[in-house]
């Protein structure tokens, strides 16, 4: 009896990521993964039990990849701008992975404020407050407003509806940031 070929979880996920990168999550199926790995579908289901579990693991892997991409944006001279640029850059370079993370039915939030309720986002809100002198609530609102603009640009890019140059994107984000900063600074001054 020939020895069993062991297919590692990482190998399955790497192939799933490449298929998703190329064809979108809609193109991901067990037969295609098995074909690329040169095995039957049994090792996939032995490892993940079903396609939903595999997709959940893939979603986490793509999320980790996205987070590393976003961390690179923190090295920009203006870290908050760098994060926005990194977000849009991810949508430009990894259209199908961006769609999986941010334009699929797996995302369900009741309000824009829900999107930024995590601890990771608290650090960004504190960064904005330190950078601008705004209070926590206004820093949070500024973050949401800029994120919605950034996501809109990224969605347009990811779906090939619009192309922007790097300079155009940077100008749009900076102009919006300055406008919101002026608005929220004035609100704080009026409340004093």
């Amino acid at each position: 009896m020939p020895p069993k070929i062991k297919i590692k979880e990482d190998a399955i996920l790497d192939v799933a990521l490449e298929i998703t990168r190329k064809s979108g999550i809609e193109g991901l199926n067990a037969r295609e993964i098995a074909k690329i790995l040169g095995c039957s579908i049994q090792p996939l289901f032995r490892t993940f039990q079903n396609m939903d579990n595999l997709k959940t693991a893939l979603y986490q892997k793509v999320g980790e990849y996205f987070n590393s991409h976003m961390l690179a944006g923190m090295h920009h001279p203006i870290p908050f701008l760098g994060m926005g640029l990194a977000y849009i850059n991810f949508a430009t370079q990894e259209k199908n992975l961006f769609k999986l993370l941010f334009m699929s039915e797996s995302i369900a939030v009741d309000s824009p404020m829900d999107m930024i309720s995590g601890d990771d986002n608290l650090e960004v809100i504190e960064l904005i407050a330190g950078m601008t002198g705004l209070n926590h609530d206004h820093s949070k609102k500024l973050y949401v407003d800029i994120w919605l603009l950034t996501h809109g640009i990224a969605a347009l890019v990811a779906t090939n509806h619009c192309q922007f140059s790097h300079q155009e994107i940077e100008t749009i984000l900076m102009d919006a940031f300055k406008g919101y900063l002026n608005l929220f600074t004035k609100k704080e001054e009026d409340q004093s």
Side-chain angles (χ1 to χ4, degrees):
M1 183 168 174
K4 281 189 176 180
I5 298 172
K6 298 256 183 180
I7 305 292
K8 304 268 188 222
E9 181 177 325
D10 285 344
I12 296 168
L13 287 174
D14 288 345
V15 169
L17 187 137
E18 287 308 314
I19 292 169
T20 304
R21 178 179 273 141
K22 181 180 172 194
S23 305
I25 194 69
E26 305 80 22
L28 185 65
N29 64 68
R31 291 194 192 289
E32 184 66 19
I33 296 169
K35 178 181 163 189
I36 292 169
L37 289 171
C39 65
S40 71
I41 61 172
Q42 284 184 328
L44 279 65
F45 292 119
R46 191 177 310 119
T47 303
F48 291 102
Q49 289 74 51
N50 58 50
M51 283 302 290
D52 286 340
N53 290 347
L54 190 148
K55 287 179 180 180
T56 298
L58 174 64
Y59 188 88
Q60 290 171 343
K61 183 177 179 86
V62 173
E64 290 167 8
Y65 174 56
F66 168 77
N67 287 338
S68 69
H69 199 83
M70 290 300 291
L71 285 175
M74 292 296 287
H75 299 294
H76 190 279
I78 305 170
F80 185 59
L81 174 61
M83 289 176 60
L85 294 171
Y87 187 87
I88 295 167
N89 188 40
F90 187 82
T92 303
Q93 293 179 351
E94 300 286 5
K95 293 177 188 299
N96 286 322
L97 300 182
F98 178 84
K99 289 178 201 176
L100 170 67
L101 290 177
F102 301 106
M103 298 178 72
S104 68
E105 293 178 11
S106 61
I107 304 294
V109 292
D110 293 328
S111 77
M113 288 299 181
D114 288 348
M115 293 181 293
I116 63 162
S117 60
D119 289 340
D120 296 351
N121 291 315
L122 184 58
E123 290 177 33
V124 177
I125 293 165
E126 289 170 358
L127 172 74
I128 294 167
M131 225 171 88
T132 62
L134 292 174
N135 67 34
H136 180 82
D137 288 342
H138 284 134
S139 294
K140 190 173 181 178
K141 287 177 184 174
L142 187 146
Y143 181 32
V144 168
D145 291 347
I146 293 295
W147 185 87
L148 289 170
L149 172 65
T150 302
H151 180 72
I153 294 169
L156 288 170
V157 169
T159 56
N160 296 315
H161 281 88
C162 202
Q163 297 302 315
F164 297 92
S165 72
H166 178 82
Q167 187 58 51
E168 288 173 316
I169 293 169
E170 194 165 323
T171 299
I172 291 167
L173 294 180
M174 281 304 296
D175 288 351
F177 180 82
K178 290 174 187 174
Y180 285 126
L181 177 57
N182 287 337
L183 172 73
F184 292 126
T185 299
K186 178 141 178 46
K187 284 185 177 187
E188 287 187 13
E189 289 170 355
D190 291 348
Q191 290 174 350
S192 303

